[in-house]
Amino acid sequence: QIALEGRPVHAVLDGLTTMTLAGRFPYGNAVLVETPLEALPEAWLAELQLFGPQPTLAPDRAALTCPQSGAAPAWDAGRRSLYLLYAHLQDPPALQPGEAVGCGQPLGAIGDSGNALNPHLHLEARVGPAGARFASLAHYDAGASLEEMENYCTWRVSGLFQLADPLRLLALQP
């Protein structure tokens, strides 16, 4: 199917909303949903070919202007979760952080918010420490706060959140 603006975007898995963004560059309007790995079927974990809890990439904060507060996040490094980021939504999300999300629940509609040249859904999958929460994240924008840039760098280049292939996850869905 072609990504037509306004088509609905549905949650891939049950989970908990951990962040919502309204018009923050580069993701635009977005929702981040956490699903603990222990909530996924064992067979799925094998198929997803996830890396172990150690970082899979060397931290490369030099690639971006990445401020560091030095404060360690209070996340549960002993447990891991799968995080799905649904970005470039048409409108700001109606969900609030902390709200439960059900598999198949509408999250919004395909749009071109943020750094999108055409309407599409940016679905990003990462595995990281359980309980991660971001108030906001943004980068490449003079209006981005130091906290937003630090959060963006933590999400994208710190090595704490390893990329996972969302197509492997979608292939497991009935």
Side-chain angles (χ1 to χ4, degrees):
Q1 299 270 348
I2 210 164
L4 295 176
E5 190 167 15
R7 282 200 172 179
V9 172
H10 300 275
V12 175
L13 295 170
D14 291 342
L16 188 68
T17 304
T18 64
M19 180 191 68
T20 59
L21 295 176
R24 299 306 297 143
F25 198 83
Y27 293 121
N29 300 317
V31 176
L32 182 64
V33 178
E34 174 187 15
T35 303
L37 290 184
E38 62 262 20
L40 298 176
E42 284 292 325
W44 285 25
L45 294 174
E47 288 293 323
L48 289 172
Q49 299 178 0
L50 302 174
F51 296 104
Q54 71 281 353
T56 56
L57 301 172
D60 184 13
R61 291 180 175 260
L64 298 170
T65 304
C66 291
Q68 292 181 306
S69 67
W75 302 331
D76 186 350
R79 292 181 39 244
R80 294 173 32 115
S81 290
L82 176 64
Y83 294 88
L84 295 176
L85 177 69
Y86 305 82
H88 306 308
L89 301 174
Q90 188 173 49
D91 298 308
L95 293 165
Q96 296 298 315
E99 281 188 57
V101 171
C103 181
Q105 177 179 333
L107 300 175
I110 291 173
D112 61 358
S113 62
N115 188 27
L117 299 176
N118 294 302
H120 70 281
L121 173 65
H122 175 101
L123 178 61
E124 191 170 317
R126 291 181 182 264
V127 176
R133 302 293 180 266
F134 298 104
S136 183
L137 50 88
H139 216 291
Y140 312 110
D141 178 352
S145 71
L146 292 176
E147 179 187 16
E148 287 177 315
M149 289 191 292
E150 182 177 16
N151 289 343
Y152 180 84
C153 290
T154 299
W155 174 254
R156 291 294 305 259
V157 298
S158 71
L160 288 174
F161 295 88
Q162 298 97 32
L163 280 170
D165 185 350
L167 293 179
R168 288 187 180 278
L169 179 63
L170 294 174
L172 295 171
Q173 297 292 314

